[in-house]
Amino acid sequence: RSGKDRRLFAQQIMRLACFCNRSDSVDSQDSGNKESVQVQLETGSGQQLDTQRLNSNFRHLRNISTMPNFSEPKFRGPVRTKTAQPLSRVELHIHLDGCVRMSTIWELCKAKGLSLPGRGTIEDLTANVEMKEPGNLTSFLAGFQYTAPALSGDLVAIERIALEFCEDAAHNGLLYVESRFCPHLLLGEAQPGSGDTIAVDEIVEAVLRGFKKGEEAYGLTARVLLCCIRGLDQFSEDVLRLCVKYRDQGVVGMDIAVDEEGLNPADPDMFNPTTIKVFTEAKELGIHRTVHAGEVGPAKCVEQALSKLFAQRIGHGYRVLEDESLYAKCLEDRTHFETCPTSSILTGAQPLSFFYHAVCRFSDDNANFSINTDDSMVTGTWTEQEYELVRSWGLKESHLIKANINALKASFLPEDEKKELMKKLYEAYGLEVE
């Protein structure tokens, strides 16, 4: 084949050959009747993706490649339906303060006289918050320096972004969403002598008010997860207190958001004693728990999130694949992974050079996972774009439906509410359940 033909052929078999990036090579004992190929693909950024050799399945893929698997529709949009996007999706891993409209931030900064990057335009603000190319977790979070000051200590603004979040979520077809944030990071600094101090409880209540209004206006169900932050242990006990206080008002669980860069798997503990203590207390109090683990940190983070923090779900969790025995246990236990496809690339958690993305491996292995947005203002995506991305990797409607059902089953809703929403989800899919 010519170089062009090989690239076209490789694109056709890409979805069916996800296994080709596994580190295991063709068994030399069986190599006599196996064919292999080395294919290089160019990505839009000019990087080379060097796939591993295909095993004997390549012979069948070669036959499949003659089928008319057209890569793009002949015609596109605009939207021509009269009805709105049906509420038929579920997200469990999405940060409220990472999904703020840039127009809202720009408006608040202008009203408060806060500095803006560049020429002070909304375009410059967006350019400094939204990532265009992959980097690392530090660069992924850098844009928050421009958005947080506009919200901090402003209960009206916080309630507003919670309401707008619900509108955006419903526009993307979310029937149910659990949105997370650390209320202590939204407190702001009171001006000396002003007396204008607010309590962290008021921050939570402002979000809950916004969500309640959003539910009434847009028909979705929105709940809150409160976040501890690695390195800010002074907040952890109070986060647990807030989870207990508002557990019957819309707060359904807690999380610890962590920067795992630089963690050494040789160290005995991936989480400090304070975090372990707080999450142990949360378990005893019946507070639901999810944990950021194995995003860019080692697989050991996932193992200890489960064994020491008693995590019921894992945020991201891609690096679990570095430990096959741990991964096998997660498959057996049906551990739920909250995957975020676009952010996994932008943070460097799953570089573009990884042909066999963790989401594809999870899908192939029938793992328990959901598809989530993470931080829309940084990724430049919402649910719809995340679905388009994983479709391009080979996931089909059946995978997406299964991911949404798994997400709702793994949600932290009370069982009676979960059962009612599951009925609505099945109805949205046109499925009748006895």
Side-chain angles (χ1 to χ4, degrees), residues 22 299-300 302-303 306 316-337 339 356-369:
R22 292 180 180 175
K300 191 173 183 178
V302 176
E303 188 280 320
L306 295 169
H316 302 288
Y318 320 114
R319 297 296 176 87
V320 70
L321 298 176
E322 295 174 350
D323 185 334
E324 287 292 339
S325 62
L326 174 62
Y327 179 50
K329 187 176 188 306
C330 289
L331 291 176
E332 181 181 356
D333 295 343
R334 302 299 294 162
T335 301
H336 186 88
F337 294 98
T339 72
Y356 198 27
H357 192 283
V359 170
C360 298
R361 176 77 186 274
F362 291 165
S363 179
D364 284 346
D365 294 340
N366 194 31
N368 185 359
F369 72 96

Side-chain angles (χ1 to χ4, degrees), residues 106-136:
W106 184 83
E107 180 185 318
L108 291 171
C109 286
K110 284 291 187 180
K112 298 177 180 182
L114 299 174
S115 61
L116 287 161
R119 298 163 297 171
T121 65
I122 191 170
E123 291 78 13
D124 284 351
L125 174 63
T126 301
N128 280 271
V129 174
E130 181 182 332
M131 288 186 74
K132 301 296 185 183
E133 298 291 337
N136 55 32

Side-chain angles (χ1 to χ4, degrees), residues 204-257:
V204 176
E205 290 168 7
V207 172
L208 293 174
R209 285 196 301 273
F211 277 9
K212 184 176 181 181
K213 292 178 180 178
E215 289 180 327
E216 294 170 352
Y218 306 112
L220 80 168
T221 298
R223 295 292 181 265
V224 168
L225 300 173
L226 298 180
C227 291
C228 304
I229 304 293
R230 183 189 286 273
L232 298 176
D233 296 339
Q234 66 271 28
F235 300 151
S236 298
E237 288 282 0
D238 203 39
V239 167
L240 178 56
R241 176 188 68 82
L242 293 166
C243 288
V244 173
K245 179 177 179 179
Y246 295 103
R247 68 192 309 171
D248 296 323
Q249 300 175 50
V251 175
V252 294
M254 66 187 299
D255 174 34
I256 178 165

Side-chain angles (χ1 to χ4, degrees), residues 256 258 260 271 291-298 301-303 305 314-320 337:
I256 178 165
V258 297
E260 299 176 309
F271 300 95
V291 174
H292 279 68
E295 180 180 13
V296 298
C301 290
V302 176
E303 188 280 320
I314 297 294
H316 302 288
Y318 320 114
R319 297 296 176 87
V320 70
F337 294 98

